[in-house]
Each structure stands twice: as C-alpha cells, then as structure tokens.
Amino acid sequence: MNRNKLTKRFLLLSAALTMALGQSAFAGETVALNLDDAMLRAFQTNPTVSIAQYELDSARASYNAARQSRGISITASHTTQRGGADDDQYTNRLKGVDATGNLIYDRVNAGKGIANKYSNGLTASLPIFTGGKLSGSIKQAKANYQYNEVGVQRTYNEMRSTVTDGYFNMLQADNIQKLSAESVTRLEDHLKNVQAQYDVGVVAKVDVLRSQVELANAKQTLIQAENSYQVAEANMNKIVGLPMDTNLKLDNLLVYNAYDKNMDDCLAYAAEHRPELMQAKYGVDAAKGALMVARSGHMPQVAASASQAWSDSNWPGDENGNWGVGVSVSMNVFDTGVTLSKIHGAEADLKKAEETYRNTVDSVNLDVRSNYLGLREAEKRISTTKLAVEQADEDYRIAQLRYMSGVGTNTDVLDAQVALTQAKTNYTKALYDYNTSKTALETSIGVPMSNPATAVKVQAAKTAEAAKATEEAAK
C-alpha cells in the first residue's frame, strides 16, 4: 500500500471519528470506550475547556489594549448644524451725512440669520507622562493574561482528573455490581443444597430460612450496586459528551502500577508546576499594578496634542482651516479624599493577594501530602486485601465441604460467604483508591496535561499537507 493510499485511509478514519463523536449517533447504543478515547471526547465536547480558552482570549485582548494605549490616538469629528436667532436681528446701515456733518444711519431688519454650518476636525493625542497609570494598567492586564494562561493548563489538569475519576468510578461500580451478582449466585447455589438436604431430612428448617434471608439481603445489595453503576455510567456520559442513555463498555481495568516518587520529590515538583501557585503569584502582580494606577491619581498627567479643523456654511465644511499643536498638563489638586481612599483600597487588595499566595502555598503542600499518604495507604491495602481474598476463598470452600459432610453449620457457610464478598470488595476498593489517589496526586503536584484534541488536529493537518505534497509530486 503506497503512501497516498495510507493518507487517504487516515483521512477517512479521521472523518469517521468526527462523526462518531456526535451525540445523536450513540443515543441508546453501546459504545466501547477506553481511557484515551474518553479523554479525547471530553476535551472536544466538555464546555469547561472552551470556557477557559475564551477567558484567555478575553484577557489577551485586554492586555493588548493596555499596551496599545501608550500610542497615538487620532479622533475625527464632523458636525452639521442649522440654526439662527429666536427674533429678528437689526443692523445699522450708513445712509448719509446731515447738514451739520453728523452720520445718518438706517435701522435694517437682517432677519433671524438662519443658516447651515459644517465643521470638521482631526485631533491627535499622545500621552507623555501619566504618573504610572499606564504602566500600572499594563502590569495589571499582563498579570491577568498570565493568570488565565495558567488557568487553561489548570483546566486541562482538572479535566484529566475529572475524566479519570469518572472512568475509574464506573469501573469500580461495575466491579461491585459483579461481586454482588457473584454473591447472589453463591447464595442461590447454597440455598439449593440446603433445600435438597432439608427435603431428605438432613438439616433443619431454620437453615433453609436463614439461607433465604441471606439471599434476599444479597439481592437488595445487588439492586443498589446496579443503581450505582447506572448513575456512574450516566455521569461518565455527561463528562464525555454522550447521551445519558448510552451504554458504555469500558476497556480498561483497575490495575496496580507502582509510583516511584517520594514525598520530597512531589513537594518540590508542585512548587514549580502547580497552576494554583502560579496564579496566586500573578494575582500579587495584578494587585501591584492596580496600586500603581491608584497612586497615579496624585501625579500630573501630561499629553501632547495636534489638531486641524475646518468650518464652512457649505457642505462638507472643508474651508477656513486652522490648526494647533500643544502640550496639556493636568493634576488632581483636591477631590475630597477619593484618590486617597482608592490608594488605601489598592493597598489592602495587595496585602490580600499576598496572604492568598501564602495560604495557597500551605494548601498545596497539604493537598500533596494528603494525596501522597492516601496513595501509599491504598498501596499497602492492595497487598493485604489480595491475600485476604485468597484466604477467604479457601475458607468458603472448606465451610461448604464441612457443611455438606455434616460437620460444619449453615452459619459457617453464610459467614464465610459474607467474608469472601467483603474481601473481594475490599480488594477492589483498594485498587480504586490507589488509582484515584494517583490521579489526585498528579493533579496536586501539577503534572501538565496536554489537549489531546489539539494533537489530533495537528496530526490531521500534517497528514493533509503530506497528501497535498504527494499529489503535486505525482503531477
């Protein structure tokens, strides 16, 4: 198969995947899903990722606007006006000279002077000195942009945690459901044996009744487990953007993979990579910028300007031009304490941001320690519960044999069955806790998560370029 055919096949597969991701395609159907597929679907459909990106775009635009405010701004204006006096206007017109040499005037009605007036203007201004107002605004906008930039990474990390936890939760619910079903099956088989022995008069009626009660209790537990599984499945469908009634078939299993980092490694990594810490730092920077803006209220504002204006009674009013250039200086002399209050407020906000950063450091350290200890605790439980399953299974087998031989009691069998189910449940829960604690630990130390949807788009673009190059070469 040549390269061109491979490229076309990849494009067809990509198109099929895109169609497969549509919600309506899977309503009420069964979808096989592994963890990687779930992650890709969540990043493509979950609105949380899009919201974080839009917030970053908004912050980037604000940052660009703050930087561009240092430049020249040009304003164009046009005014069309028609007007005149409310009453008639009179003027004196020279009529002549009388016999004594005095000037003689006539009073002439000039009307109300109604006329049109058109004026145009261009004004350019450039800030020269703002007392830190512009610098503070730029610093604040930049910190906000960096905050949201890290926020995108934080969203990616949290989405990984959400998907993984939802996936493992469904696996856990499925395992518990299967264990409950196994318990029901064992008790049904045991009840058949007890009933058979009762029919021949070997055991008492109480054994039958006790076995029936235990079976009924196990069925109740199975019903609850099935409901928990359905809830976990619906939650997983929501996370990956599928219809709620989609039946999911998960490919992965809860397994144990050793984690090799120690506590100090995790704390050191978190100090450098945890998004919340970086966001807290940028929060301090933004507060410092806001304080600069507030303090600029006590500083002079200097700006240069140039203007050109035209006015005429005939449209468009481009005659009688005049121009001017100059420098303007303004300074707040007295505002009844408004500026001072803004400064005090900005200083308080800065202190708040600094305390928030300090609190975030402590919270991150506690989060890392808690998740690390939870991971190690679950790791220890895996080995102990695995051994307990083997022992409980053997104990149940022996209890059955003893009861069938008439040596043991029905209570021994039922207790052994309960112990076996509990041991298997504990083992499954230990695996679940270990995997979720591992994901929580990776999130708490800030292990970066990339957007798998972006990787797919990049690969598709590269494949399309390669296909285009191949076609051009073939020509």
Side-chain angles (χ1 to χ4, degrees):
M1 188 179 293
N2 58 37
R3 183 176 181 182
N4 193 29
K5 289 183 177 180
L6 285 172
T7 301
K8 291 181 177 179
R9 174 169 291 185
F10 179 85
L11 292 175
L12 288 173
L13 289 174
S14 299
L17 177 60
T18 301
M19 293 180 63
L21 290 176
Q23 288 194 7
S24 60
F26 300 109
E29 298 183 9
T30 299
V31 176
L33 198 67
N34 59 37
L35 188 55
D36 291 336
D37 293 336
M39 201 70 69
L40 176 60
R41 289 179 184 276
F43 271 84
Q44 288 182 320
T45 61
N46 198 292
T48 305
V49 175
S50 299
I51 290 172
Q53 187 60 54
Y54 291 140
E55 289 176 344
L56 176 61
D57 294 342
S58 176
R60 182 188 294 112
S62 297
Y63 178 38
N64 289 336
R67 290 187 298 173
Q68 292 159 354
S69 61
R70 286 185 178 275
I72 296 176
S73 62
I74 300 176
T75 303
S77 63
H78 170 81
T79 301
T80 297
Q81 184 178 17
R82 179 174 177 81
D86 292 338
D87 301 317
D88 290 342
Q89 303 296 305
Y90 294 90
T91 60
N92 293 323
R93 182 177 62 183
L94 181 64
K95 181 178 180 181
V97 182
D98 60 13
T100 61
N102 294 323
L103 298 177
I104 302 174
Y105 294 92
D106 280 342
R107 193 165 182 262
V108 180
N109 187 346
K112 296 182 178 180
I114 298 176
N116 297 329
K117 182 179 181 181
Y118 305 95
S119 60
N120 297 278
L122 284 176
T123 302
S125 61
L126 175 68
I128 298 176
F129 179 76
T130 62
K133 182 177 181 179
L134 285 178
S135 299
S137 298
I138 293 173
K139 183 180 182 68
Q140 189 175 13
K142 180 180 180 181
N144 187 49
Y145 168 68
Q146 292 171 322
Y147 180 96
N148 284 278
E149 189 174 33
V150 175
V152 172
Q153 182 62 64
R154 178 179 176 179
T155 300
Y156 288 174
N157 294 355
E158 291 175 349
M159 181 57 62
R160 173 188 58 199
S161 178
T162 299
V163 174
T164 306
D165 287 348
Y167 195 92
F168 288 157
N169 186 48
M170 187 175 168
L171 285 177
Q172 165 78 341
D174 186 39
N175 288 335
I176 297 299
Q177 179 180 240
K178 291 176 180 177
L179 290 176
S180 298
E182 288 179 6
S183 177
V184 170
T185 300
R186 283 195 299 268
L187 288 170
E188 287 176 340
D189 292 339
H190 177 66
L191 179 59
K192 291 178 183 178
N193 293 331
V194 174
Q195 185 67 49
Q197 295 188 67
Y198 172 74
D199 291 341
V200 297
V202 176
V203 300
K205 180 67 173 179
V206 66
D207 285 0
V208 177
L209 296 176
R210 175 67 189 280
S211 299
Q212 290 173 338
V213 171
E214 290 296 328
L215 176 58
N217 291 335
K219 288 182 177 179
Q220 292 294 317
T221 302
L222 176 58
I223 292 173
Q224 294 173 344
E226 290 172 343
N227 180 71
S228 296
Y229 174 79
Q230 291 174 356
V231 172
E233 185 178 50
N235 179 63
M236 194 64 204
N237 281 324
K238 177 181 180 298
I239 292 173
V240 299
L242 289 173
M244 293 295 179
D245 59 348
T246 304
N247 299 315
L248 297 179
K249 182 180 179 182
L250 304 187
D251 292 344
N252 299 80
L253 299 174
L254 287 172
V255 296
Y256 168 70
N257 293 316
Y259 190 77
D260 57 355
K261 289 186 175 64
N262 58 38
M263 177 79 77
D264 292 336
D265 292 336
C266 292
L267 290 171
Y269 192 92
E272 296 294 329
H273 298 88
R274 181 71 179 262
E276 287 89 332
L277 286 176
M278 290 183 276
Q279 286 185 313
K281 289 181 181 178
Y282 294 136
V284 174
D285 291 340
K288 290 179 179 178
L291 180 57
M292 291 175 62
V293 173
R295 287 175 173 170
S296 68
H298 281 161
M299 301 296 290
Q301 308 291 307
V302 183
S305 63
S307 63
Q308 176 69 50
W310 301 268
S311 63
D312 193 5
S313 59
N314 297 316
W315 194 88
D318 55 355
E319 299 293 337
N320 306 315
N322 60 83
W323 59 272
V325 295
V327 175
S328 63
V329 179
S330 63
M331 184 173 180
N332 177 27
V333 178
F334 178 74
D335 59 5
T336 67
V338 173
T339 299
L340 186 60
S341 296
K342 290 181 178 179
I343 293 174
H344 290 164
E347 290 173 341
D349 288 339
L350 176 57
K351 292 178 181 178
K352 175 185 174 182
E354 291 172 342
E355 289 300 312
T356 299
Y357 173 74
R358 187 172 66 85
N359 184 61
T360 303
V361 172
D362 293 338
S363 297
V364 167
N365 288 336
L366 177 60
D367 194 23
V368 173
R369 289 179 183 275
S370 177
N371 288 319
Y372 184 86
L373 293 174
L375 174 75
R376 294 309 180 194
E377 181 260 342
E379 186 176 39
K380 293 176 183 177
R381 284 195 288 119
I382 290 175
S383 58
T384 57
T385 54
K386 184 177 182 181
L387 178 61
V389 169
E390 297 174 356
Q391 295 170 338
D393 189 58
E394 179 66 13
D395 180 53
Y396 178 69
R397 186 184 67 83
I398 294 173
Q400 279 186 311
L401 292 176
R402 286 172 57 84
Y403 182 73
M404 295 298 293
S405 302
V407 179
T409 65
N410 184 49
T411 302
D412 292 338
V413 177
L414 296 179
D415 289 345
Q417 195 282 140
V418 171
L420 176 58
T421 301
Q422 188 62 51
K424 288 186 175 182
T425 300
N426 291 341
Y427 176 65
T428 301
K429 190 173 187 304
L431 282 175
Y432 170 78
D433 290 344
Y434 178 80
N435 282 276
T436 53
S437 294
K438 185 177 179 181
T439 302
L441 179 59
E442 289 180 345
T443 302
S444 66
I445 66 176
V447 175
M449 173 67 188
S450 59
N451 189 336
T454 302
V456 170
K457 292 180 181 178
V458 171
Q459 182 60 42
K462 290 182 179 180
T463 303
E465 290 179 0
K468 184 178 180 181
T470 301
E471 291 178 359
E472 291 178 353
K475 294 179 182 179

